[in-house]
C-alpha cells in the first residue's frame, strides 16, 4: 500500500459520515477514528508516520458540521434570477432553511434549489453556466444551532 493510497483513504474517511474505520493490508494496519487520534502501525511505521505528518491534508476542525446541498437533477447552474441580477447567496452569508441558493435549468424549466438548513455558506461549487450532474454538491453550508 502506497502513501498516496493511505492519504486517499484518510481523506475519504474524513469526508464520510463514518466515525471509526479499521483496515489491514499486508504490512499496514490503519485505524481511524473521529472521536480520538488516528494511528498508523506498520513494519514501515517511521517512514509512513513521517510522510503523513509532512503531507497530511486532514486537519481536525472544531467547527460547526457541514451540510452539502446537492442537485436533484442534471442541468445548468445559475446563481441569480437573471444574468445582471445579484446572486442569491455569497460565501460567508448567513442563510435560513428555505432560502433560495441557486437555479438549475433543465429542459428550459428553471428549478429553484433551496436550503435544507440554517447556516453560513461555506462554499459555492459551481459558477454561472456550468453543467451540474445529478446529486452533485452545489453548495456547502456550515450548519447553525447544533
Amino acid at each position: 500500500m502506497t502513501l498516496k493510497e493511505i492519504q486517499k483513504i484518510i481523506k475519504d474517511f474524513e469526508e464520510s459520515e463514518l466515525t471509526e474505520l479499521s483496515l489491514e493490508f499486508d504490512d499496514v494496519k490503519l485505524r481511524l477514528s473521529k472521536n480520538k487520534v488516528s494511528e498508523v502501525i506498520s513494519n514501515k511505521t517511521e517512514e509512513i508516520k513521517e510522510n503523513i505528518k509532512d503531507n497530511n491534508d486532514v486537519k481536525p476542525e472544531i467547527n460547526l458540521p457541514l451540510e452539502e446541498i446537492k442537485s436533484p437533477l442534471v442541468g445548468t447552474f445559475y446563481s441569480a434570477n437573471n444574468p445582471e441580477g445579484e446572486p442569491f447567496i455569497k460565501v460567508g452569508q448567513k442563510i435560513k432553511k428555505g432560502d433560495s441558493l441557486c437555479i438549475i435549468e433543465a429542459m428550459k424549466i428553471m428549478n429553484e434549489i433551496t436550503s435544507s438548513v440554517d447556516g453560513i455558506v461555506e462554499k459555492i461549487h459551481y459558477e454561472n453556466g456550468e453543467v451540474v450532474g445529478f446529486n452533485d454538491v452545489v453548495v456547502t453550508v456550515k450548519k447553525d444551532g447544533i
Side-chain angles (χ1 to χ4, degrees):
M1 175 171 270
T2 67
L3 176 62
K4 287 194 186 272
E5 291 170 326
I6 293 172
Q7 288 175 324
K8 171 101 171 81
I9 290 170
I10 292 171
K11 183 177 180 191
D12 289 346
F13 172 74
E14 284 298 314
E15 292 173 355
S16 76
E17 293 182 17
L18 295 174
T19 56
E20 290 190 22
L21 175 69
S22 295
L23 299 171
E24 267 188 64
F25 296 97
D26 301 325
D27 61 344
V28 177
K29 291 181 183 179
L30 180 64
R31 185 177 181 290
L32 303 171
S33 173
K34 292 182 181 175
N35 301 326
K36 48 188 164 181
V37 178
S38 302
E39 54 185 279
V40 176
I41 305 169
S42 164
N43 293 338
K44 302 177 186 178
T45 302
E46 291 307 313
E47 175 187 340
I48 291 172
K49 281 185 180 178
E50 286 303 311
N51 284 330
I52 288 175
K53 283 180 190 173
D54 293 341
N55 299 315
N56 193 357
D57 291 334
V58 179
K59 294 182 175 50
E61 294 184 11
I62 306 174
N63 287 333
L64 297 171
L66 297 177
E67 177 78 14
E68 294 179 330
I69 311 293
K70 297 180 180 183
S71 174
L73 66 160
V74 176
T76 305
F77 176 90
Y78 294 107
S79 62
N81 275 332
N82 59 60
E84 294 82 31
E86 281 291 313
F88 292 111
I89 57 169
K90 295 179 182 172
V91 173
Q93 177 180 338
K94 230 175 156 35
I95 59 171
K96 298 275 186 202
K97 184 176 182 175
D99 284 354
S100 296
L101 302 176
C102 64
I103 291 175
I104 297 179
E105 176 190 2
M107 299 177 67
K108 304 292 182 197
I109 297 173
M110 301 299 181
N111 300 280
E112 183 179 33
I113 307 304
T114 59
S115 178
S116 56
V117 295
D118 294 344
I120 299 171
V121 177
E122 177 74 11
K123 183 173 182 180
I124 302 168
H125 296 266
Y126 289 90
E127 293 188 23
N128 271 333
E130 290 186 328
V131 176
V132 176
F134 171 73
N135 218 25
D136 284 354
V137 176
V138 290
V139 178
T140 303
V141 177
K142 280 188 184 179
K143 292 178 5 179
D144 272 351
I146 293 181

